[in-house]
């Protein structure tokens, strides 16, 4: 049975400061080369660390035991686009922005947009999500097939080679086994993705609220009203202030919701009206909305730059993003309690969240040279994760487990759940070569 | 005034593609390579469609010179809001040697045939970077030209234009009919959405040959050789 072990790697201090480079980096150009290289590593029991864009937020590419990093950036083809079937297959070097630029003439797009311009195969590996998961889902719902190289070099197509039906009930769901496996079960060398029509029209709106409760209540009620809202982002007063300064905006410094609606011109009118009525009934004010591209882009740039805006609050500091997710009904309580915790412990942690999913991030801005502050942050993040777990939630909504949340995963899943995960890992990678030290903790001999 | 705008759209290798020179140095590899509408032409189409949406002009006609595949580029313009298309069929060796001089003769002939009030073009194409077609077209028609436009507004039968030039921004006022070439900051082109792509399939594209317009596309230029730029050498401090 896997034991819960507190290793030094769980410490946020080390996580933030220590770089863990591999011993060797290889740049395979095709799946045959990936397979051949994996066979070499397998023969010599060398750790294998897959690398897409290296933009993950939980230390996923750190080579904890050294080994061979497989940088997949030279495999950068968009293969097999089928516009009528709404699917496309891409290699690991293709990022989400590159794909959407490629697709722009077809009227299709891939909506999942984590902050970074990440590798799509890497996004599959971490089960990434973005600001519009509330409407379009996360990688889990949008990966149809994967080509994966296993630890021994064998190549598997999780839904069968070249297959891309919109749904299937054929056998075990291997595709979703690998989605979110963070490189611990295999190297993803192709992903077949579900595409969507570019929205006919978009409207963005902003609304200020007197309290966190009011903002979150509005979110819940908007969803309950059946509005197919595309994005609903929460920024607390600290975050709004940071964004104002960084992006030269002038929003009232108070809990704020950023909303975005997709649809036809007629449906947009109805959606916006319903949402506006709800926000007003919850004490919302300054409801502004924008239809034109330039203003909407400016609005969302502020949200996507939140990381840098938070960092700019305390130059010289580093930032770490928490990432918990709870059922919607528990969201007001957890945000309120978390803000109280931040104030009580004198921590800088502006909050930005995909509240439509019950998911929010505290961007902890911390001085890496102040061990006492680092320790306070570390304890805060553990309390936050446990708060979420106590509310039927998860310790990670989108960033993954990586290094820092292995112990929390054990609490979340319980011993039997962890045992099942460990059994799968042992079956696919008995020598623990695939990205060792991530997701699951292992008893060291 | 006819209220008709001609917009030139060129099919070029997509901006994101890594260009490779053919082994025989006669040109770049185009087979199997992704092509799309020249980005400056997208901006020109967007401006024309905006003018129509503001009801300042009545009809947007998208024109492309090239082989059969140029029709795809015209379809994209139609999906963005152009009303109809004219495909000037040029293929084979003629297409390989097609340059601004021949295209400007074609556009001038079409402008007369279609009684155009305005010709909107991208300032240059990203494959040859010539930046000549708009200027030559204006000269052939003896029309005023507003090139590198970053702002366009119609005022009666005149056009107010802001041009991005080396020294800064130049404000000019020109008469119509005129030729305008679009620069980067003129607007942000819209995406073609699926419903609009479907609607565009029903819009008409007419195919003509240069000879029908009285234009000889024989080139007076010969490409001798195409080479990659020299490899960057390491520097020394």
């Amino acid at each position: 049975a896997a034991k819960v072990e507190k290793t030094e790697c769980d410490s946020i201090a080390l996580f933030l400061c220590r770089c863990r480079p591999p011993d060797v980096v290889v740049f395979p150009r095709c799946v045959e080369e990936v397979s051949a290289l994996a066979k070499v590593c397998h023969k010599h029991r060398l750790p294998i660390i897959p690398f897409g864009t290296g933009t993950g937020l939980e230390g996923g590419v750190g080579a904890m035991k050294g080994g061979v990093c497989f940088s997949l950036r030279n495999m950068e083809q968009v293969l097999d686009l089928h516009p009528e079937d709404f699917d496309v297959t891409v290699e690991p070097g293709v990022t989400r922005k590159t794909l959407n630029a490629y697709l722009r003439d077809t009227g299709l797009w891939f909506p999942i947009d984590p902050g970074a311009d990440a590798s799509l195969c890497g996004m599959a590996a971490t089960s990434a999500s973005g600001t519009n998961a509330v409407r379009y889902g996360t990688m889990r719902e949008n990966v149809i097939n994967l080509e994966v190289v296993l630890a021994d070099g064998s190549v598997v197509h999780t839904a069968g080679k070249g297959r891309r039906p919109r749904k299937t009930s054929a056998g075990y769901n291997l595709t979703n086994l690998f989605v979110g496996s963070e490189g611990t079960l295999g190297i993803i060398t192709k992903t077949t993705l579900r595409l969507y029509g570019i929205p006919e029209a978009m409207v963005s709106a902003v609304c200020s609220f007197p309290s966190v409760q009011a903002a979150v209540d509005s979110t819940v009620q908007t969803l309950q009203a059946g509005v197919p809202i595309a994005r609903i982002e929460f920024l607390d007063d600290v975050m709004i202030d940071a964004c104002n300064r960084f992006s030269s905006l002038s929003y009232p410094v108070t809990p704020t919701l950023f909303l975005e609606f997709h649809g036809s011109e007629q449906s947009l009118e109805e959606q916006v009206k319903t949402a506006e009525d709800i926000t007003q009934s919850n004490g919302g004010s300054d409801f502004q909305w924008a239809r034109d591209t330039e203003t909407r882009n400016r609005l969302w740039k502020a949200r996507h730059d939140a990381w840098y805006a938070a960092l700019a609050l305390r130059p010289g500091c580093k930032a770490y993003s928490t990432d918990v997710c709870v059922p919607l009904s528990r969201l007001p309580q957890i945000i309120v309690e978390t803000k109280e915790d931040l104030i009580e412990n004198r921590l800088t942690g502006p909050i930005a969240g995909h509240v439509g999913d019950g998911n929010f991030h505290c961007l902890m801005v911390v001085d890496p040279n102040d061990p006492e502050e680092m320790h306070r942050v570390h304890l805060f993040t553990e309390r936050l994760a446990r708060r979420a777990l106590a509310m039927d939630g998860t310790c990670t909504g989108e960033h993954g487990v990586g290094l820092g949340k292995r112990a929390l995963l054990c609490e979340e899943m319980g011993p039997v759940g962890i045992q099942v995960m460990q059994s799968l890992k042992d079956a696919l990678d008995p020598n623990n070569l695939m990205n060792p030290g991530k997701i699951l903790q292992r008893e060291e001999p | 005034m006819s209220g008709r705008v001609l917009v030139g759209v060129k099919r070029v290798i997509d901006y994101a593609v890594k260009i490779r020179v053919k082994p025989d140095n006669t040109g770049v590899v185009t087979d199997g390579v992704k092509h799309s509408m020249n980005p400056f032409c997208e901006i020109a189409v967007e401006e024309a469609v905006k003018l129509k949406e503001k009801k300042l002009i009545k009809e947007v006609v998208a024109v492309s010179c090239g082989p059969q595949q140029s029709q795809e580029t015209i379809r994209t313009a139609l999906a963005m809001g152009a009303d109809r298309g004219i495909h000037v069929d040029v293929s084979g060796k003629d297409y390989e040697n097609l340059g601004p001089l021949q295209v400007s003769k074609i556009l001038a002939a079409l402008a007369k045939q279609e009684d155009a009030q305005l010709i909107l073009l991208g300032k240059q194409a990203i494959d040859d970077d010539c930046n000549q077609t708009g200027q030559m077209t204006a000269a052939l028609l003896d029309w005023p030209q507003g090139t590198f436009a970053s702002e366009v507004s119609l005022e009666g039968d005149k056009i107010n234009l802001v041009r991005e030039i080396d020294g800064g921004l130049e404000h000019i006022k020109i008469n119509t009919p005129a030729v305008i070439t679009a620069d980067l900051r003129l607007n942000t082109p819209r995406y073609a959405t699926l419903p609009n792509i479907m609607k565009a399939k029903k819009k008409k594209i007419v195919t003509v040959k240069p000879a029908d317009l009285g234009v000889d596309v024989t080139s007076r230029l010969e490409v001798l050789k195409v080479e990659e730029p020299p490899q960057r050498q390491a520097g020394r401090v």
Side-chain angles (χ1 to χ4, degrees), chain B:
Chain B
M1 281 270 113
S2 68
R4 186 170 296 124
V5 176
L6 234 57
V7 184
V9 294
K10 186 178 181 185
R11 179 174 182 267
V12 297
I13 295 178
D14 187 81
Y15 73 83
V17 168
K18 284 199 189 106
I19 306 291
R20 286 177 303 133
V21 175
K22 286 202 276 206
D24 62 3
N25 292 105
T26 55
V28 298
V29 176
T30 54
D31 281 344
V33 167
K34 180 168 206 282
H35 285 64
S36 53
M37 189 189 294
N38 180 41
F40 294 105
C41 300
E42 287 180 347
I43 297 173
V45 173
E46 174 66 26
E47 197 63 20
V49 172
K50 273 196 164 85
L51 288 172
K52 194 178 99 161
E53 285 170 346
K54 289 186 203 157
K55 301 209 181 353
L56 294 167
I57 55 135
K58 295 208 200 92
E59 192 187 27
V60 179
V61 182
V63 179
S64 193
C65 305
Q68 180 67 19
Q69 295 97 312
S70 293
Q71 294 204 11
E72 291 161 17
T73 312
I74 298 176
R75 287 274 166 226
T76 304
L78 296 173
M80 287 172 72
D83 298 294
R84 59 183 167 89
I86 301 176
H87 167 221
V88 182
D89 190 12
V90 181
S91 46
K93 262 267 163 261
D94 281 340
Y95 176 60
E96 278 170 47
N97 295 326
L98 192 66
L101 184 56
Q102 302 101 306
V103 173
S104 57
K105 288 178 183 171
I106 290 169
L107 290 175
L110 280 173
K112 292 194 187 123
Q113 178 186 286
E114 298 289 329
D115 188 25
Q117 178 182 333
L118 192 58
I119 299 180
L120 262 165
L121 305 172
K123 69 171 179 181
Q124 67 197 57
I126 60 170
D127 52 7
D128 55 23
D129 279 342
C130 283
N131 190 345
Q132 296 167 354
T133 306
Q135 292 86 334
M136 287 177 170
T137 309
L140 287 169
L141 289 165
D142 196 27
W143 285 7
Q145 57 185 260
T147 54
F148 312 106
S150 63
E151 261 180 66
V152 171
S153 57
L154 270 52
E155 199 185 294
D157 61 348
K158 303 215 191 296
I159 301 178
N160 289 318
L161 214 98
V162 178
R163 306 180 59 227
E164 289 198 9
I165 60 174
D166 288 348
L169 297 174
E170 185 185 45
H171 297 252
I172 62 172
K173 190 180 226 144
I174 57 178
N175 294 324
T176 53
V179 176
I180 297 177
T181 73
D183 208 328
L184 191 63
R185 277 160 283 272
L186 180 57
N187 59 49
T188 308
R190 66 196 65 192
Y191 286 110
T193 63
L194 273 181
N196 287 337
I197 291 175
M198 303 309 299
K199 281 187 215 152
K201 291 194 177 148
K202 303 205 183 97
K203 296 183 182 175
K204 293 197 78 155
I205 300 179
V206 156
T207 303
V208 302
K209 288 209 149 328
D212 302 339
L213 302 166
V215 174
D216 175 11
V217 292
T218 318
S219 178
R220 292 154 199 216
L221 300 172
E222 187 193 336
V223 172
L224 298 175
K225 195 175 180 195
V226 177
E227 288 180 329
E228 285 200 10
Q231 290 281 17
R232 287 182 70 162
Q233 302 295 325
R236 284 180 117 189
V237 176

Side-chain angles (χ1 to χ4, degrees), chain A residues 193-327:
Chain A
L193 301 164
R194 215 182 282 285
L195 300 173
Y196 294 79
I198 293 173
E200 269 187 74
M202 297 191 203
V203 167
S204 298
V206 189
C207 191
S208 305
F209 292 88
S211 65
V212 174
Q213 186 81 41
V216 180
D217 284 346
S218 299
T219 304
V220 172
Q221 288 163 22
T222 303
L223 288 166
Q224 288 171 338
V227 175
I229 194 152
R231 291 180 162 118
I232 184 159
E233 294 287 283
F234 170 84
L235 269 59
D236 78 343
D237 53 332
V238 180
M239 190 73 246
I240 279 284
D241 185 47
C243 288
N244 274 349
R245 291 193 220 179
F246 188 77
S247 304
S248 306
L249 300 165
S250 51
Y251 291 109
V253 180
T254 178
T256 307
L257 283 184
F258 287 83
L259 310 121
E260 188 170 289
F261 307 88
H262 293 174
S264 65
E265 301 279 1
Q266 302 104 299
S267 79
L268 282 180
E269 253 193 74
E270 195 191 320
Q271 290 182 46
V272 174
K273 180 84 185 46
T274 308
E276 184 169 13
D277 289 343
I278 289 173
T279 59
Q280 268 175 11
S281 72
N282 283 297
S285 59
D286 300 296
F287 189 97
Q288 298 170 63
W289 54 272
R291 172 83 179 75
D292 68 284
T293 316
E294 276 87 11
T295 318
R296 279 194 294 102
N297 284 343
R298 193 148 174 267
L299 199 73
W300 281 101
K301 186 170 192 315
R303 167 66 187 87
H304 273 296
D305 285 347
W307 180 270
Y308 302 103
L311 273 172
L313 282 174
R314 293 177 64 194
C317 287
K318 296 208 168 177
Y320 170 73
S321 172
T322 69
D323 172 41
V324 301
C325 188
V326 296

Side-chain angles (χ1 to χ4, degrees), chain A residues 169-205:
Chain A
S169 49
Y172 299 153
N173 188 348
L174 295 182
T175 304
N176 274 23
L177 172 62
F178 287 95
V179 173
S181 59
E182 302 184 40
T184 60
L185 298 178
I187 305 164
I188 299 175
T189 51
K190 283 192 188 69
T191 173
T192 305
L193 301 164
R194 215 182 282 285
L195 300 173
Y196 294 79
I198 293 173
E200 269 187 74
M202 297 191 203
V203 167
S204 298

